[in-house]
Amino acid sequence: RRRLEPDRAPRARPTRLVTRPPGYALVLDGIEVDAATFAGEAGRGRALLESDPSSAIDLLSHALDLWRGDAYAGLAETSDTLTAEATRLHELRLAAIEDRAQALLACGRHAESVAELEPFVRQHPLRERAWGLLALALYRGQRQGDALEALRRARTQLAEELGVDPSLQLRELEAAILAHDPGLTAPPPPIASAPDRTSTASPVPRGRTQAAAALIAAIESAAAGRGRIVVVTGEPGIGKSAPARAGLGPARTRGAVTGWGSWD
């Protein structure tokens, strides 16, 4: 209890680890849990793949940075419920890695996408979407031969492991690469709009996960020349610092000068 509530006064009623028949209960109200934060940010990142891939990269990167080894390591096998949850989170993680690679492609960052996908397909050789993204990234990086070789490797893995042919999508991608289909050309980089000189205060949604996502979106907007003020408000101790600190990394990657301070 002292670890969970270091500021609780002596003999004060605990609010985190409480006594509740037939034993104890850990109250998580207002506490940010990595698994929930990851799933939420990964979902928001996927939703932005088409409309705002740059913001999608930030959200997906932050979500993936929360991982430290396997989900429920050492515990998953003790319960069918934990096994199912660990499997769900594992699949979400793999999909998030593919989503991030797709977002990198959409932003013209082909070499980075290749660097992430090459080890990924070696570890997960049956994920056809990853093979397709890798081939496309190689092609857009002026490596047509390597792109076709990646698709050949995919075909071999699927045949040896499952005894099946590649999906229609992979076969169509191979034909498009051979034909130098103009549809495979990388999209032009996004054009920043004219700066907005008017600064306005923007209310942040409730909840630290939503607040962090809103802050990252505001940083992305500022990098495009549309700056504004974001204010994180709330009662003392509810966790305002976490979403504020979450924005420091994405801001620095865009060349912004950041600072942190506090006062009594």
Side-chain angles (χ1 to χ4, degrees):
R1 281 174 170 164
R2 282 193 298 270
R3 289 295 186 97
L4 292 171
E5 298 180 84
D7 298 328
R8 183 169 60 90
R11 296 190 179 86
R13 183 185 297 275
T15 59
R16 292 296 179 215
L17 185 61
V18 301
T19 303
R20 184 176 297 170
Y24 295 93
L26 181 62
V27 180
L28 297 178
D29 294 343
I31 296 180
E32 191 170 339
V33 179
D34 283 353
T37 301
F38 161 74
E41 294 194 355
R44 283 187 291 278
R46 167 167 284 195
L48 292 174
L49 282 178
E50 299 296 334
S51 61
D52 191 354
S54 183
S55 293
I57 292 172
D58 290 335
L59 284 167
L60 291 163
S61 297
H62 184 259
L64 291 167
D65 285 345
L66 294 172
W67 278 79
R68 300 289 186 275
D70 297 329
Y72 298 103
L75 296 174
E77 63 275 9
T78 65
S79 163
D80 290 341
T81 300
L82 286 180
T83 299
E85 178 63 5
T87 300
R88 183 185 74 89
L89 290 171
H90 177 69
E91 289 299 321
L92 286 178
R93 177 175 179 267
L94 298 184
I97 292 173
E98 293 172 342
D99 287 342
R100 176 179 152 81
Q102 181 177 330
L104 288 170
L105 269 174
C107 291
R109 296 161 63 176
H110 319 314
E112 293 176 65
S113 187
V114 170
E116 292 193 3
L117 287 167
E118 277 286 10
F120 183 78
V121 295
R122 284 196 294 269
Q123 296 174 357
H124 309 281
L126 303 182
R127 296 187 71 88
E128 294 188 65
R129 181 191 178 200
W131 283 110
L133 290 169
L134 174 59
L136 182 57
L138 289 166
Y139 179 79
R140 288 182 176 176
Q142 305 301 312
R143 298 170 61 183
Q144 180 187 11
D146 290 336
L148 293 171
E149 173 61 17
L151 293 174
R152 186 198 65 77
R153 287 159 52 199
R155 181 182 296 105
T156 300
Q157 290 285 350
L158 291 168
E160 292 180 353
E161 297 289 334
L162 302 177
V164 299
D165 293 327
S167 65
L168 176 62
Q169 288 82 0
L170 284 188
R171 298 198 302 272
E172 289 179 342
L173 176 59
E174 183 177 32
I177 290 174
L178 288 169
H180 293 281
D181 190 325
L184 299 181
T185 304
I191 300 175
S193 60
D196 182 357
R197 302 300 181 185
T198 303
S199 295
T200 58
S202 302
V204 175
R206 292 181 179 178
R208 279 182 285 181
T209 299
Q210 294 92 334
L215 180 57
I216 291 172
I219 292 168
E220 187 67 32
S221 178
R226 300 183 297 276
R228 65 181 190 268
I229 297 172
V230 178
V231 179
V232 183
T233 63
E235 296 296 325
I238 67 169
K240 298 185 295 297
S241 298
R245 289 183 185 275
L248 295 180
R252 292 193 193 102
T253 61
R254 282 158 179 74
V257 177
T258 65
W260 186 264
S262 62
W263 64 87
D264 295 327

